[in-house]
């Protein structure tokens, strides 16, 4: 699709709700694909995983024991978070400091499941996510692990973006510029998924959720397939 065509795409459902909920495991490409889908559809964009990473960074920065559930829950309520909701700009700020790079460090990736499986912290971040959806007049692409089932189960479009383990490990390795060895990649991808799946199911599509398997698709092909799912879902209205 040419840039000229992208820039002249009509605004879908103008003046009406259009929440696109996208879930998926680590390394499935959901962040980059979701951001591009939001850009093309002229919608806001929310990376909920970055919120959990920001909370993890905040807890570690404050010296909070991640096994202390009550302390992590309190930190979630106090978290001074600013996060971009534009597909054209990416930033995550905690207490006014930009931590966009820091939250992607291996130490955060290794620790984030402890925070993500703290139910009280999840409750607070889900509240904030729903608040952001409403602030954008329910015209937003939201991606994560429990968006289609918990955060926005009534979204106009719900999809599960998945890929084979081999494809996900390869993509995460490329994303990290080859800085991680095989064991470290496995810890970031499959091991984290196993931990997170104890509190939310993001490996199988719930009723009404369309599965998009990107194992054999490149980035552009995956974006096109996602947009086709959006179009088909809206045509049923």
């Amino acid at each position: 699709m040419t840039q000229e065509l992208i820039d002249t795409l009509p605004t879908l459902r103008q003046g009406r709700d259009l929440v696109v909920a996208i879930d998926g495991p680590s390394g499935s490409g959901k962040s980059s694909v979701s951001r591009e889908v939001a850009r093309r559809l002229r919608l806001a964009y929310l990376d909920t995983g970055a919120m959990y990473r920001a909370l993890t960074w905040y807890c570690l920065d404050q010296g909070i024991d991640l096994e202390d559930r009550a302390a992590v829950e309190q930190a979630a309520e106090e978290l001074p978070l600013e996060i971009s909701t534009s597909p054209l700009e990416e930033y995550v700020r905690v207490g006014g400091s930009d931590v966009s790079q820091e939250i992607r460090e291996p130490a955060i990736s290794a620790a984030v499941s402890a925070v993500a499986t703290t139910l009280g912290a999840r409750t607070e971040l889900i509240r904030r996510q729903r608040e952001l959806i409403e602030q954008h007049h329910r015209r937003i692409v939201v991606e994560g692990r429990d968006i289609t089932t918990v955060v926005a189960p009534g979204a106009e479009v719900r999809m599960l973006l998945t890929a084979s383990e081999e494809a996900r490990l390869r993509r995460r390795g490329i994303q990290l510029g080859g800085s991680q060895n095989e064991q470290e990649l496995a810890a970031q991808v499959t091991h984290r998924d196993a931990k997170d799946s104890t509190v939310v199911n993001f490996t199988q599509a719930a009723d009404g959720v369309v599965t998009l398997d990107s194992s054999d698709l490149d980035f552009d092909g995956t974006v096109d397939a996602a947009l086709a799912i959006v179009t088909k879902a809206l045509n049923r209205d």
Side-chain angles (χ1 to χ4, degrees), residues 58-68 71-72 74-75 78:
Y58 180 68
C59 287
L60 294 176
D61 183 67
Q62 297 294 309
I64 294 171
D65 180 359
L66 299 186
E67 298 302 317
D68 185 340
V72 172
Q74 182 175 350
E78 297 173 351

Side-chain angles (χ1 to χ4, degrees), residues 63-135:
I64 294 171
D65 180 359
L66 299 186
E67 298 302 317
D68 185 340
R69 302 285 180 170
V72 172
E73 181 177 348
Q74 182 175 350
E77 294 173 355
E78 297 173 351
L79 178 66
L81 176 66
E82 298 172 72
I83 185 168
S84 171
T85 51
S86 167
L88 304 178
E89 183 179 18
E90 183 178 1
Y91 66 78
V92 180
R93 301 184 186 119
V94 176
S97 298
D98 193 320
V99 296
S100 304
Q101 299 301 317
E102 287 86 342
I103 66 171
R104 304 297 175 182
E105 293 293 329
I108 301 300
S109 297
V112 67
S113 286
V115 169
T117 55
T118 298
L119 297 183
R122 290 193 74 86
T123 297
E124 170 58 18
L125 292 187
I126 288 168
R127 183 195 67 77
R128 295 192 190 204
Q129 291 155 18
R130 289 173 173 164
E131 188 175 74
L132 286 167
I133 291 172
E134 295 301 326
Q135 286 176 5

Side-chain angles (χ1 to χ4, degrees), residues 29-233:
K30 62 182 181 294
S31 293
S32 55
V33 170
S34 297
R35 183 179 290 107
E36 180 62 11
V37 167
R39 188 181 75 86
R40 295 197 191 184
L41 296 179
R42 298 174 183 169
L43 299 175
Y45 162 72
L46 178 60
D47 176 358
T48 64
M51 298 176 72
Y52 286 98
R53 286 175 173 272
L55 177 56
T56 304
W57 181 91
Y58 180 68
C59 287
L60 294 176
D61 183 67
Q62 297 294 309
I64 294 171
D65 180 359
L66 299 186
E67 298 302 317
D68 185 340
R69 302 285 180 170
V72 172
E73 181 177 348
Q74 182 175 350
E77 294 173 355
E78 297 173 351
L79 178 66
L81 176 66
E82 298 172 72
I83 185 168
S84 171
T85 51
S86 167
L88 304 178
E89 183 179 18
E90 183 178 1
Y91 66 78
V92 180
R93 301 184 186 119
V94 176
S97 298
D98 193 320
V99 296
S100 304
Q101 299 301 317
E102 287 86 342
I103 66 171
R104 304 297 175 182
E105 293 293 329
I108 301 300
S109 297
V112 67
S113 286
V115 169
T117 55
T118 298
L119 297 183
R122 290 193 74 86
T123 297
E124 170 58 18
L125 292 187
I126 288 168
R127 183 195 67 77
R128 295 192 190 204
Q129 291 155 18
R130 289 173 173 164
E131 188 175 74
L132 286 167
I133 291 172
E134 295 301 326
Q135 286 176 5
H136 288 281
H137 309 289
R138 298 189 60 81
R139 293 188 59 81
I140 189 171
V141 176
V142 188
E143 56 99 346
R145 295 179 182 274
D146 59 356
I147 313 305
T148 63
T149 55
V150 178
V151 178
E156 285 67 37
V157 184
R158 297 189 298 156
M159 72 179 81
L160 176 70
L161 177 57
T162 189
S164 67
E165 182 176 316
E166 178 185 6
R168 293 188 291 119
L169 287 171
R170 183 180 67 251
R171 290 169 184 169
R172 183 53 59 87
I174 293 172
Q175 181 185 28
L176 295 172
S179 61
Q180 305 288 297
N181 61 37
E182 186 176 342
Q183 290 74 25
E184 289 170 330
L185 281 174
Q188 279 209 22
V189 177
T190 57
H191 297 176
R192 180 189 166 196
D193 285 348
K195 291 178 182 177
D196 289 358
S197 65
T198 61
V199 294
V200 61
N201 183 3
F202 52 86
T203 59
Q204 294 182 329
D207 289 345
V209 177
V210 179
T211 298
L212 171 53
D213 189 331
S214 66
S215 300
D216 298 320
L217 298 174
D218 61 12
F219 175 73
D220 289 334
T222 305
V223 171
D224 288 343
L227 289 170
I229 290 172
V230 172
T231 300
K232 184 174 181 179

